[in-house]
Amino acid sequence: QVQLVESGGGLVQAGDSLRLSCKMSGRSVVDYHMGWFRQAPGKEREFVAGVRGAVDATYYSDAVKGRFTISRDYGLNSVLLQMNNLKPEDTAAYYCVAGETYGSVAGGTTKLWGRGTQVTVHS
């Protein structure tokens, strides 16, 4: 059974950095397209970043482009989200996703989701 477990969330000040990690068990991250979503209180879940294919092509929402970086750590069988220059509007629960098609990752239709890690950014 494939499982995703996120870690690395926390409480920070605006301008700080955090690195989220999502460890996959049961399969290899090589076998999946991977991504991150987030959901703030009272808001819909939104796509944050994705990494596709063997060449690790990366994609970002406009809200995080230039500040966040997604990458795969093959040695740790994980996907990482480096978040720099955090803003209060980045406050949300962050979820890791994995899918056999990139479309299922970017669209959030994949069935493989982690349970989330909370990021809170104070101004």
Side-chain angles (χ1 to χ4, degrees):
Q1 182 180 0
V2 181
Q3 290 188 322
L4 302 171
V5 178
E6 302 96 334
S7 62
L11 174 63
V12 297
Q13 298 293 318
D16 286 351
S17 298
L18 276 176
R19 189 179 75 166
L20 304 184
S21 178
C22 170
K23 184 167 180 60
M24 176 178 280
S25 61
R27 289 285 296 274
S28 170
V29 294
V30 171
D31 297 329
Y32 291 90
H33 308 282
M34 308 288 294
W36 289 90
F37 277 72
R38 68 186 182 186
Q39 187 168 22
K43 295 188 177 181
E44 292 188 358
R45 193 173 291 177
E46 64 173 348
F47 172 81
V48 174
V51 57
R52 181 175 77 164
V55 296
D56 282 357
T58 56
Y59 304 87
Y60 301 93
S61 69
D62 288 342
V64 308
K65 195 174 297 182
R67 300 187 297 123
F68 290 13
T69 303
I70 187 171
S71 62
R72 275 190 262 227
D73 187 324
Y74 294 99
L76 294 178
N77 204 36
S78 299
V79 63
L80 309 176
L81 186 68
Q82 177 66 41
M83 307 186 295
N84 297 330
N85 189 22
L86 283 160
K87 303 177 180 180
E89 51 264 42
D90 294 319
T91 294
Y94 283 71
Y95 299 89
C96 175
V97 299
E100 294 184 350
T101 67
Y102 184 71
S104 70
V105 168
T109 57
T110 178
K111 293 182 179 180
L112 287 174
W113 289 74
R115 293 190 173 185
T117 185
Q118 179 67 35
V119 172
T120 303
V121 185
H122 283 314
S123 58

